[in-house]
Amino acid sequence: ESIVIDKNYFHDNDNNVIGREVIVGYSDDYNTNIKISNNSFLSECQMGVIVQGHNDDVTICNNTITDKHGYGICLYGHEGYNTNIKVISNRIKNIHYNSLNGYYNGMGIYCVTIKNYICEDNLLENILLDRPDTTTPSVTLNPGAITCGDGYNVKIDKNIIINSVIYGMCFSH
């Protein structure tokens, strides 16, 4: 089984705070060999890319993600771990906070419940813009440009973070 999303242009799609431009998996779905590359995600919605469920061999690379109201990239393991994940050479810019349900949410790259994860050579700029209260924690993890929770064998390397309103990187186990 494989999923390839390559060289697409997303603009003015579902311009609201709960929309997502690409979603792969749901709940306990299992997918393998996922590649999301060379895309432009430019709509003002909540998330650029979300991969959730229990997935293996996921590569998210060379994408441009701008003007989200929540998350640029979200990798969320549910009913198991996302394994063998690579997030490489993406450009993520202008990620605004989202106060859905009274919580302040949002991160440039957010991953939780993952194994064998590489995050490198990404540019993250202007993350968590317009956040009014920098002391209120997120629902699950403290908000950063790059945030990782419950991760095993994680390598974060050679990323550039410019103007992250809360934290540059956050980790929790």
Side-chain angles (χ1 to χ4, degrees):
E1 178 180 344
S2 81
I3 298 169
V4 176
I5 301 168
D6 188 44
K7 298 179 185 147
N8 296 286
Y9 179 84
F10 298 81
H11 190 268
D12 288 336
N13 298 302
D14 199 10
N15 288 339
N16 64 59
V17 295
I18 60 171
R20 286 108 165 123
E21 290 191 289
V22 168
I23 183 168
V24 176
Y26 187 77
S27 187
D28 61 353
D29 280 0
Y30 178 79
N31 298 292
T32 187
N33 194 21
I34 300 166
K35 185 169 185 182
I36 302 170
S37 60
N38 305 304
N39 299 289
S40 294
F41 300 103
L42 310 176
S43 303
E44 289 190 45
C45 56
Q46 185 185 22
M47 294 184 196
V49 175
I50 179 168
V51 177
Q52 64 183 0
H54 177 86
N55 302 286
D56 183 50
D57 191 19
V58 177
T59 300
I60 301 171
C61 65
N62 300 314
N63 297 290
T64 298
I65 301 169
T66 63
D67 299 316
K68 302 296 160 254
H69 293 273
Y71 304 89
I73 295 172
C74 180
L75 297 154
Y76 186 83
H78 183 75
E79 302 294 326
Y81 286 85
N82 280 317
T83 57
N84 303 313
I85 310 296
K86 295 180 210 98
V87 177
I88 299 172
S89 299
N90 296 284
R91 184 174 182 181
I92 301 170
K93 190 173 179 180
N94 299 333
I95 305 299
H96 300 265
Y97 88 97
N98 178 343
S99 62
L100 195 62
N101 298 323
Y103 295 101
Y104 294 121
N105 298 305
M107 295 160 208
I109 300 172
Y110 170 57
C111 349
V112 66
T113 322
I114 55 171
K115 288 183 181 178
N116 304 328
Y117 172 60
I118 296 172
C119 177
E120 65 183 16
D121 293 321
N122 297 288
L123 170 64
L124 297 100
E125 187 174 357
N126 300 328
I127 307 300
L128 287 167
L129 298 173
D130 310 317
R131 186 175 162 113
D133 180 0
T134 57
T135 61
T136 305
S138 164
V139 167
T140 54
L141 295 170
N142 285 326
I146 298 173
T147 300
C148 181
D150 193 16
Y152 296 91
N153 195 21
V154 172
K155 179 183 176 186
I156 311 289
D157 193 28
K158 299 181 278 183
N159 296 286
I160 297 171
I161 299 170
I162 301 168
N163 191 32
S164 182
V165 173
I166 309 296
Y167 302 113
M169 294 183 191
C170 295
F171 301 92
S172 175
H173 198 328

